[in-house]
Amino acid sequence: MFRLTFRALPFLLFTVPALAQAPVDDGTPNLPDTIPAFPEQTDAPEITSGLRLESEVITDTLARPWAVAVLPDGAGYVVTERGGTLRHITRDGQVGPEIDGVPAVRAVQQGGLLDVALSPDFADNRTLYLTYSARDGIAASATAVASAVLSEDHAALTEVTELWRQTPASIVPAHFGSRVIVTPDGALLVTTGDRFTPENRTLAQNPVRATYGVTIQIQPDGTPAQDPIIERAQPGVLSYGHRNIQGAAVQPGTDILWTLEHGPAGGDELNIVRPGANYGWPEVSYGVNYNGTDVGTGQQAHAPDYEEPRYFWDPSIAPSDMIFYEGDMFAEWQGDLLLGALAGRALVRLDMDGDMVVGEERFRPGGRVRDVAVDEDGAILIVIDDDPGRLLRLTPAR
């Protein structure tokens, strides 16, 4: 392991009030004339905490890592690699061999082994949950979630049970989502993507036919966690009209699910998920298609027909996972959102006032930040998506 320090960037010797007048400079927006639905919906003032972060490389030998979960009682971490392997890593950086029993995945392009989360009762039952692109026939795949029991020696998974699978499967190996969040009462919240192509993405508006671009709520045994919210929709659908949700978190002290989804060129969204709500994709967007054409009819505002995002970015930062920070190590960040940015190659802090974003700060750890977690002592863990990829531990520099 080795350590380095970095500051929030850009590091400018201006006063805080001067910094607070302008948003983070991400470049030229794709839709420069966009009128947000409310003033705090985009381009929050850039803030600078003045904090330097020390970065400890726990390991830099991973192959396209996607997610990390913190094991209790100092037992280290489990990390997914998109190629289909799950590994145990000790706190001092020893990387174990492939854990046996991982479900078979179709690891093509964006597909593979994706998220990992622990049961609230992991210390007693050693149950964890995985999301992945499950094989379907010769060339198709679908986002799926499974439960499994991790052995005491971290060598194998047993009792592997697929709990839910996206329908229909698609041969397009893109836009799988996918995060799994375990609520305090044990229910599972799963996010999916629209499967990318123009033909597939229209199904994000049709939860009766497909579970593309939706959030799902299920019980730990895979049964729907609530009565149908949307008439005739697929079982478990909580919300729909999403593009590609790669970040999700339940706000502490509430049962409110927040999600992060990739826009096309611009239009990345931070959303509060409301049961039964439609988030508009691919009818409306605060971005444009990659070829510069309008999304849908070109309408940007989501309301009144669709749910407005709480915040959006243009140009895109390609947001990944997020957490609401809770911990003692960064006391001033309590309740703030920390999220990864792939294209933005940053750890992003959103200063929150209730459900409003009132400031944005960037830290540059040197790579595509795929996942964010909080260690047992309050340190921040991030996963750098690369080959070789890294698991980093961030603490305030002395």
Side-chain angles (χ1 to χ4, degrees):
M1 296 185 294
F2 59 89
R3 300 174 186 269
L4 53 90
T5 60
F6 56 91
R7 288 184 182 272
L9 294 181
F11 179 63
L12 303 174
L13 295 178
F14 294 160
T15 63
V16 171
L19 285 173
Q21 301 307 307
V24 176
D25 183 7
D26 282 323
T28 304
N30 296 278
L31 291 170
D33 298 326
T34 293
I35 300 174
F38 49 91
E40 300 86 0
Q41 195 181 26
T42 191
D43 287 341
E46 182 176 16
I47 55 176
T48 301
S49 61
L51 185 66
R52 289 193 306 130
L53 297 182
E54 184 173 273
S55 178
E56 174 189 341
V57 179
I58 297 174
T59 180
D60 58 1
T61 62
L62 300 169
R64 292 292 174 195
W66 214 90
V68 59
V70 180
L71 298 172
D73 302 322
Y77 319 98
V78 284
V79 173
T80 59
E81 294 175 312
R82 200 174 66 206
T85 56
L86 181 68
R87 296 188 188 275
H88 173 246
I89 302 173
T90 63
R91 296 190 66 83
D92 62 1
Q94 297 181 48
V95 180
E98 298 181 15
I99 295 174
D100 290 336
V102 174
V105 305
R106 184 166 179 78
V108 178
Q109 293 185 24
Q110 295 177 10
L113 186 61
L114 304 174
D115 204 11
V116 58
L118 304 185
S119 162
D121 302 319
F122 179 85
D124 298 321
N125 59 25
R126 302 197 60 82
T127 296
L128 55 75
Y129 301 96
L130 299 167
T131 66
Y132 52 98
S133 55
R135 292 180 176 273
D136 193 295
I138 296 174
S141 57
T143 301
V145 59
S147 62
V149 174
L150 179 63
S151 63
E152 293 282 352
D153 61 1
H154 311 109
L157 298 181
T158 59
E159 301 179 40
V160 179
T161 305
E162 184 175 289
L163 303 176
W164 180 85
R165 183 181 290 212
Q166 180 186 54
T167 57
S170 173
I171 62 171
V172 181
H175 287 199
F176 293 93
S178 68
R179 292 291 169 184
V180 55
I181 301 296
V182 190
T183 65
D185 62 1
L188 306 182
L189 300 166
V190 185
T191 72
T192 75
D194 68 350
R195 305 309 300 272
F196 187 68
T197 64
E199 296 79 13
N200 280 344
R201 73 187 192 183
T202 61
L203 293 174
Q205 284 295 315
N206 194 338
V208 176
R209 285 188 55 199
T211 48
Y212 289 3
V214 300
T215 62
I216 295 288
Q217 187 173 15
I218 58 176
Q219 299 286 9
D221 63 0
T223 58
Q226 74 281 319
D227 294 331
I229 295 171
I230 303 162
E231 185 178 0
R232 298 188 298 115
Q234 298 281 329
V237 173
L238 189 64
S239 65
Y240 65 108
H242 302 281
R243 185 171 182 268
N244 190 25
I245 303 174
Q246 290 200 357
V250 173
Q251 190 168 16
T254 76
D255 59 358
I256 300 173
L257 175 65
W258 292 63
T259 60
L260 277 172
E261 66 182 88
H262 287 233
D268 298 336
E269 294 184 2
L270 172 67
N271 282 304
I272 294 177
V273 171
R274 306 187 191 282
N278 182 349
Y279 289 77
W281 180 259
E283 301 300 321
V284 296
S285 176
Y286 286 105
V288 296
N289 291 314
Y290 293 127
N291 62 7
T293 60
D294 288 339
V295 171
T297 62
Q299 179 182 340
Q300 298 163 43
H302 292 34
D305 298 321
Y306 308 107
E307 194 76 15
E308 285 285 351
R310 300 309 301 165
Y311 195 71
F312 69 84
W313 290 265
D314 182 20
S316 176
I317 63 169
S320 54
D321 198 19
M322 67 177 179
I323 57 168
F324 285 92
Y325 183 78
E326 290 186 292
D328 297 329
M329 195 169 288
F330 298 88
E332 294 183 358
W333 293 3
Q334 290 289 330
D336 287 350
L337 272 171
L338 301 180
L339 59 108
L342 298 166
R345 302 174 70 86
L347 173 68
V348 180
R349 178 173 74 93
L350 297 182
D351 187 13
M352 304 298 295
D353 182 5
D355 62 1
M356 293 291 184
V357 178
V358 296
E360 184 170 350
E361 182 173 25
R362 303 283 176 90
F363 296 89
R364 312 287 185 180
R368 290 160 45 89
V369 181
R370 174 63 75 177
D371 196 17
V372 184
V374 177
D375 210 344
E376 289 184 295
D377 61 356
I380 298 165
L381 299 169
I382 59 173
V383 169
I384 301 296
D385 181 2
D386 206 341
D387 192 5
R390 290 169 286 157
L391 175 62
L392 306 180
R393 187 173 187 272
L394 308 181
T395 56
R398 297 186 183 89

